[in-house]
Amino acid sequence: MYSIGQLSKATGVKVPTIRYYEQVGVLASAGRTDGNQRRYDQDGVERLGFIKHARDLGFSIEAITALIDLQQHPDRSCADASAIAKHQLADVQEKLRRLSALEAELIRISDGCDGDGVSGQCYVLASLADHKHCRTDH
Amino acid sequence: MYSIGQLSKATGVKVPTIRYYEQVGVLASAGRTDGNQRRYDQDGVERLGFIKHARDLGFSIEAITALIDLQQHPDRSCADASAIAKHQLADVQEKLRRLSALEAELIRISDGCDGDGVSGQCYVLASLADHKHCRTDH
DNA sequence: CTTGAACCTCTAGTGACTAGAGGTTGTAGA
DNA sequence: TCTACAACCTCTAGTCACTAGAGGTTCAAG
Ligand SMILES: [Zn+2]
Ligand SMILES: [Zn+2]
Ligand SMILES: [Zn+2]
Ligand SMILES: [Zn+2]
């Protein structure tokens, strides 16, 4: 049996975050001692490990809740799991596209100013003031 | 003179967002009619355009506030503007690095499941349950 | 002068936590 | 067995950049 602090150390998830996960329902409520403190078993460690790993990969709490639900029913179709993963991938790829465009503009903007001028002539400020300086949409 | 709705159309920033920008101090308070409605001049359009463009490039409100402050003093050094832009670039590049790692893992995970199996054997769920399947840190 | 779209302020909600106040419990050492 | 104190508990509020809604007022066209 683990206390919440021991679970925290075992998984790398902070104590208040564990309580938050319980509050929003992605982590099942733990058993309690007579004094009302949470106690976790190995199952709890694995459940929280799953949540942490999925969060690290960018899945939303809502998506993770659905995935854990699926995991509790090993005989159900995994179509939803597949869809959630593909959706998450598409999401990440969209963010990558947007960030790449931003990176290109920011490199141009950064390169245009050494910081040794005066703000009236600053390329950073001029570029932000007018999108026409930009090479891409964004 | 523009009403807040006309300013919204001119810049593509939603009306409640404009009020929010004023509230947090990044957009200077507008003049008012006798009936207390906001009125903007060309200067206001440019100020908000600057904010929108910087937000589109991912700058924080705090950073934009500093940049606008600098823009109001054309004779000051632009060292801060340069530093803010470089910081933002570094930020974006860090996000790109992280997202690229996530993309690689998510492609692997997605490719490992067609959604036509059962969740007890699902590669998506197995991969989320155990980071050992992963090729990268993340 | 009437109508109604657009405006006003204020509060609360979003996601995924994080911080702090104020009080209680578990446990190791004396 | 007692005591000290780290770790636990709940609850509220704050973060960021908005967004939604309630309930009331103003502007401008017809
Ligand atoms: Zn400069
Ligand atoms: Zn641009
Ligand atoms: Zn599957
Ligand atoms: Zn992993």
Side-chain angles (χ1 to χ4, degrees), chain A residues 25-47:
Chain A
V26 63
L27 183 61
S29 298
R32 301 281 182 134
T33 64
D34 289 348
N36 200 34
Q37 297 196 359
R38 291 168 181 83
R39 286 298 115 101
Y40 300 89
D41 55 14
Q42 197 53 41
D43 217 55
V45 178
E46 271 152 38
R47 218 85 61 87

Side-chain angles (χ1 to χ4, degrees), chain B residues 52-113:
Chain B
K52 177 171 170 40
H53 194 211
R55 283 294 301 133
D56 286 348
L57 286 163
F59 289 86
S60 71
I61 300 277
E62 196 189 351
I64 298 170
T65 305
L67 289 168
I68 286 184
D69 204 60
L70 225 53
Q71 205 190 26
Q72 302 301 111
H73 300 275
D75 49 335
R76 278 202 211 152
S77 158
C78 73
D80 286 357
S82 170
I84 289 169
K86 281 175 188 9
H87 187 275
Q88 175 62 15
L89 173 58
D91 222 68
V92 164
Q93 287 176 331
E94 171 62 23
K95 279 184 183 147
L96 277 171
R97 260 190 297 280
R98 289 204 57 247
L99 283 176
S100 293
L102 295 198
E103 187 195 22
E105 298 302 343
L106 287 167
I107 286 173
R108 174 182 58 75
I109 290 171
S110 272
D111 282 356
C113 165

Side-chain angles (χ1 to χ4, degrees), chain A residues 3-15 18:
Chain A
S3 72
I4 197 170
Q6 290 166 339
L7 179 64
S8 172
K9 263 182 197 147
T11 57
V13 178
K14 287 178 192 162
V15 167
I18 297 172

Side-chain angles (χ1 to χ4, degrees), chain A residues 113 122-123, chain B residues 78:
Chain A
C113 164
C122 183
Y123 186 70
Chain B
C78 73

